[in-house]
Amino acid sequence: MRILLVEDDLRTASFIKNGLQQEGYVVEHAADGEEGLNRALVESYDTAVIDIMLPRLDGLTLIKELRRRKVLTPVIVLSARNSVDDRIQGLEFGGDDYLVKPFAFAELLARIQALIRRTHSVSEPTSLTVGDLSIDLIRRKVFRAGKEILLQPREYVLLEYLMRNPGRVISKTMIMEHVWDYNFDPQTNVVEARICKLRDKIDRDSETKMIHTVRGMGYVLEEK
């Protein structure tokens, strides 16, 4: 899941970004309203978290412009303003939820998850299963044939992405965009290195292999 965070306070932005990344989200940060608008117009995000008081373009104008251009990315408005009128205005300009600063990270996370569930009109699954490989999305645990496999956070996010697309060839570029929050650099071998470690942990003790390389195209997760 990709989230756009538009927040000019770097301390707050770092707090939110780090927390969401630890929960497995890919977060892109924009430090002013114009940058946030440009990103939201050219990239696809599952949710945007937008502060109201922004330099260059305020958050409400940003949201209004997104809606005018038919960009329907769900938006959580962040603001230190706490009056009923402020909340109403935030929603009237196109926000889908409104959270007052200061806030508990757990509440922001819960609101993001609820917004994503509502947007996709389906219940977010609590687990993913391909063959004898499964992920408990609530506890963030991975099992192969009932045996738990310990993964590093980035390995977990990578595996979850592959398991949400079983049988589909996923390119290196797609992995970079969804698992790492920076653009593809053809010179880096970070994807190959992480796939190699993940494959060793997932397939090492099983005759049936799950993670396969499709030469020149990418990777696919399926039983073979």
Side-chain angles (χ1 to χ4, degrees):
M1 294 290 180
R2 292 164 56 84
I3 295 177
L4 173 63
L5 170 63
V6 189
E7 169 62 73
D8 63 321
D9 184 286
L10 297 182
R11 184 175 180 182
T12 301
S14 178
F15 166 73
I16 295 173
K17 184 175 181 178
N18 289 338
L20 290 174
Q21 286 178 328
Q22 289 173 11
E23 293 297 325
Y25 294 94
V26 173
V27 183
E28 293 191 5
H29 172 230
D32 63 66
E34 283 189 0
E35 182 186 359
L37 177 61
N38 291 334
R39 284 178 179 264
L41 290 177
V42 300
E43 298 285 344
S44 177
Y45 298 97
D46 296 287
T47 299
V49 179
I50 300 176
D51 186 32
I52 287 183
M53 301 297 290
L54 293 169
R56 304 181 71 180
L57 183 69
D58 70 86
L60 291 180
T61 303
L62 190 167
I63 296 167
K64 187 177 181 180
E65 184 62 16
L66 288 179
R67 299 314 186 220
R68 189 184 71 80
R69 300 195 190 195
K70 310 300 183 187
V71 176
L72 302 179
T73 304
V75 172
I76 294 179
V77 179
L78 294 182
S79 177
R81 300 173 179 171
N82 192 28
S83 72
V84 172
D85 287 344
D86 289 329
R87 292 169 184 252
I88 291 174
Q89 188 180 38
L91 299 175
E92 286 182 339
F93 271 64
D96 297 278
D97 199 354
Y98 192 104
L99 186 59
V100 177
K101 296 180 177 178
F103 55 85
F105 176 76
E107 183 177 3
L108 174 62
L109 178 62
R111 288 176 184 243
I112 289 173
Q113 292 171 334
L115 203 53
I116 290 174
R117 284 198 299 271
R118 290 204 301 269
T119 302
H120 290 274
S121 299
V122 296
S123 298
E124 177 71 4
T126 58
S127 65
L128 301 171
T129 300
V130 179
D132 63 354
L133 178 63
S134 63
I135 291 181
D136 183 329
L137 295 171
I138 303 299
R139 296 186 298 161
R140 298 174 65 81
K141 291 181 178 291
V142 176
F143 300 91
R144 182 84 194 261
K147 180 181 179 182
E148 183 175 357
I149 298 173
L150 300 179
L151 299 181
Q152 297 295 317
R154 192 71 73 181
E155 294 168 352
Y156 175 90
V157 175
L158 174 55
L159 179 63
E160 180 183 340
Y161 180 49
L162 293 174
M163 289 190 68
R164 286 183 183 274
N165 297 277
R168 176 187 175 192
V169 177
I170 305 296
S171 70
K172 181 177 175 179
T173 300
M174 292 169 65
I175 291 174
M176 289 291 291
E177 290 179 348
H178 285 81
V179 180
W180 282 266
D181 54 354
Y182 51 89
N183 295 324
F184 173 64
D185 175 2
Q187 302 304 317
T188 182
N189 67 346
V190 65
V191 173
E192 291 88 340
R194 197 67 68 169
I195 284 282
C196 183
K197 290 183 179 179
L198 181 61
R199 177 185 282 140
D200 181 62
K201 292 183 179 180
I202 296 299
D203 288 338
R204 179 176 52 206
D205 298 326
S206 178
E207 292 185 1
T208 302
K209 307 306 178 187
M210 285 288 187
I211 300 175
H212 307 277
T213 300
V214 181
R215 189 174 298 277
M217 298 180 68
Y219 303 92
V220 61
L221 188 144
E222 59 184 352
E223 285 187 289
K224 276 188 179 178

